[in-house]
Amino acid sequence: MKPQKILFIDRDGTLIEEPEDEQIDAFEKLKFVKGVFRNLAFIRKNLDFRFVMVSNQDGLGTPSFPEDTFWPVHRFILQSLEGEGITFDDIKIDRHFPEDNHPNRKPGTGMLTEYIGNPAYDLAGSYVIGDRESDRQLAENLGCKALIIGDERGTTWDSIAETLFAGERKAEVRRTTKETDIHVVLNIDGTGRCDISTGLGFFDHMLEQIGKHGMMDLMIHAKGDLHVDEHHTIEDTALALGECILKALGDKRGIERYGYSLPMDDCLCSVCLDFGGRPWLVWDAEFRRERIGEMPTEMFLHFFKSLSDAARMNLNIKAEGENEHHKIEGIFKALARALKMAVRRDIYHYELPSTKGTL
């Protein structure tokens, strides 16, 4: 039998909102976290995870009741969730206070020893879902992954359900030729963190716009024959990035598919795209300067043509305005916003956005 994956789920701050005094000691303080019912019910129905509640709480989190009973508020929480089809296979509640420094308290694993080293469970494929750093540390101690509500990625129950059901959208591409060595790592569902180094400062600045404004984590390290000229470095970076986008999108189920945008100061820039699988570029942008920074303006069209081909997307780009820097930066920002819109995924309508049945 295949080892079962587990969701180790915190209670206060994860299932129910945690008040300022951190005590759920009255029914009037009880409020469920947004999206918890819909998404946990979806996960319970569609995925084969073992649900384990793991909580360290004082106040009502340290009950004076016998082991086989639950205090009223906790019982109400469980009954409310159960009414939506959400049940727990195991519940672990620690009675100790933080100053006790007890191994049962998160991030200690004392309450979960039955799962550690047990071949019946797949801890590497399991997750800790919580709202604190101690939950992240617990995941590390267990050898699990962590999903932390309200973290720097803005994680919500919506995004948790999406990740668990449809998977992470990450990809890595290494493109090496006699002329260039390009390494691209992409996380479509990131926070906009960028690590860009191509040897061309202005090009780095433009590529960073894709990550920052598209809310994608993007690493691009490029080494090219810049002693010859910039052509190979720019072209091969576009090809590697496009391939990475295509790879990260996977089967494209549930995505919006289309995107568009944006004004920037004196310029109006429009980038419309379609991940329909048919590469095509329409380019309507003129540049009077030969270079912006170290980047030849003639390479702008070539970059987007290579990107379109490798990502198998239709790009329609238009820009008007006077400031050449603003114009191309506006195009890159518009591309980023268009990408952000087009890759948005809906697991509740998890179908290919095409009447053909393929993209």
Side-chain angles (χ1 to χ4, degrees), residues 81-225:
L81 293 168
E82 187 176 356
E84 297 297 322
I86 305 161
T87 57
F88 287 86
D89 302 292
D90 194 2
I91 296 176
K92 304 292 187 182
I93 303 290
D94 177 56
R95 294 170 177 262
H96 295 85
F97 291 90
E99 57 269 20
D100 293 340
N101 195 28
H102 195 277
N104 279 8
R105 286 196 64 83
K106 294 183 289 184
T109 60
M111 291 192 292
L112 304 170
T113 54
E114 67 198 82
Y115 298 108
I116 300 172
N118 189 332
Y121 301 108
D122 175 11
L123 289 184
S126 299
Y127 291 82
V128 172
I129 303 177
D131 68 310
R132 297 189 179 200
E133 183 59 30
S134 59
D135 295 307
R136 192 188 303 277
Q137 292 172 4
L138 175 63
E140 184 176 340
N141 292 341
L142 288 170
C144 297
K145 304 171 188 176
L147 294 168
I148 307 300
I149 290 177
D151 64 3
E152 69 279 1
R153 294 177 59 179
T155 297
T156 64
W157 273 109
D158 285 343
S159 61
I160 288 172
E162 179 184 335
T163 297
L164 295 178
F165 179 77
E168 297 179 317
R169 294 187 289 181
K170 297 179 179 179
E172 182 173 2
V173 168
R174 190 78 183 244
R175 178 185 174 87
T176 303
T177 69
K178 291 182 179 179
E179 299 164 339
T180 61
D181 182 12
I182 315 293
H183 186 198
V184 180
V185 180
L186 172 69
N187 177 10
I188 285 180
D189 304 301
T191 61
R193 288 177 294 188
C194 294
D195 177 10
I196 313 290
S197 176
T198 67
L200 299 167
F202 185 76
F203 190 35
D204 291 352
H205 182 50
M206 293 300 99
L207 292 170
E208 191 175 66
Q209 306 306 313
I210 297 175
K212 291 289 186 183
H213 294 279
M215 290 297 286
M216 301 178 180
D217 294 340
L218 180 61
M219 188 210 81
I220 300 177
H221 290 174
K223 295 181 181 179
D225 54 356

Side-chain angles (χ1 to χ4, degrees), residues 7-299:
L7 295 183
F8 298 101
I9 305 173
D10 178 46
R11 194 189 74 169
D12 295 11
T14 304
L15 297 175
I16 58 174
E17 293 187 5
E18 197 162 34
E20 291 185 7
D21 63 3
E22 301 183 358
Q23 299 296 310
I24 308 294
D25 51 11
F27 278 100
E28 54 265 27
K29 288 185 176 181
L30 184 58
K31 184 178 181 181
F32 285 90
V33 172
K34 183 179 179 182
V36 67
F37 286 104
R38 180 190 193 210
N39 290 294
L40 258 186
F42 179 89
I43 295 166
R44 193 55 156 161
K45 178 181 179 181
N46 293 284
L47 301 174
D48 186 29
F49 282 98
R50 181 176 176 82
F51 277 28
V52 179
M53 183 187 293
V54 185
S55 181
N56 288 141
Q57 298 298 331
D58 50 14
L60 285 182
T62 309
S64 58
F65 302 99
E67 291 288 347
D68 61 346
T69 62
F70 294 105
W71 54 105
V73 173
H74 182 75
R75 184 171 61 237
F76 178 80
I77 294 169
L78 294 180
Q79 289 175 342
S80 299
L81 293 168
E82 187 176 356
E84 297 297 322
I86 305 161
T87 57
F88 287 86
D89 302 292
D90 194 2
I91 296 176
K92 304 292 187 182
I93 303 290
D94 177 56
R95 294 170 177 262
H96 295 85
F97 291 90
E99 57 269 20
D100 293 340
N101 195 28
H102 195 277
N104 279 8
R105 286 196 64 83
K106 294 183 289 184
T109 60
M111 291 192 292
L112 304 170
T113 54
E114 67 198 82
Y115 298 108
I116 300 172
N118 189 332
Y121 301 108
D122 175 11
L123 289 184
S126 299
Y127 291 82
V128 172
I129 303 177
D131 68 310
R132 297 189 179 200
E133 183 59 30
S134 59
D135 295 307
R136 192 188 303 277
Q137 292 172 4
L138 175 63
E140 184 176 340
N141 292 341
L142 288 170
C144 297
K145 304 171 188 176
L147 294 168
I148 307 300
I149 290 177
D151 64 3
E152 69 279 1
R153 294 177 59 179
T155 297
T156 64
W157 273 109
D158 285 343
S159 61
I160 288 172
E162 179 184 335
T163 297
L164 295 178
F165 179 77
E168 297 179 317
R169 294 187 289 181
K170 297 179 179 179
E172 182 173 2
V173 168
R174 190 78 183 244
R175 178 185 174 87
T176 303
T177 69
K178 291 182 179 179
E179 299 164 339
T180 61
D181 182 12
I182 315 293
H183 186 198
V184 180
V185 180
L186 172 69
N187 177 10
I188 285 180
D189 304 301
T191 61
R193 288 177 294 188
C194 294
D195 177 10
I196 313 290
S197 176
T198 67
L200 299 167
F202 185 76
F203 190 35
D204 291 352
H205 182 50
M206 293 300 99
L207 292 170
E208 191 175 66
Q209 306 306 313
I210 297 175
K212 291 289 186 183
H213 294 279
M215 290 297 286
M216 301 178 180
D217 294 340
L218 180 61
M219 188 210 81
I220 300 177
H221 290 174
K223 295 181 181 179
D225 54 356
L226 295 178
H227 62 284
V228 177
D229 68 7
E230 305 83 359
H231 185 107
H232 299 142
T233 297
I234 295 170
E235 178 183 24
D236 287 2
T237 296
L239 291 171
L241 176 58
E243 184 182 346
C244 216
I245 292 171
L246 181 65
K247 188 176 178 181
L249 282 175
D251 63 11
K252 302 180 185 176
R253 284 187 174 275
I255 67 167
E256 291 288 339
R257 178 176 167 178
Y258 303 100
Y260 54 91
S261 261
L262 109 162
M264 182 171 177
D265 297 333
D266 60 300
C267 302
L268 180 62
C269 304
S270 166
V271 175
C272 300
L273 65 83
D274 173 19
F275 280 116
R278 298 184 303 277
W280 192 272
L281 174 67
V282 174
W283 176 261
D284 185 4
E286 294 184 1
F287 292 87
R288 295 180 297 276
R289 289 169 56 178
E290 183 178 347
R291 289 176 177 269
I292 300 178
E294 312 98 320
M295 193 170 177
T297 54
E298 68 176 7
M299 288 302 300

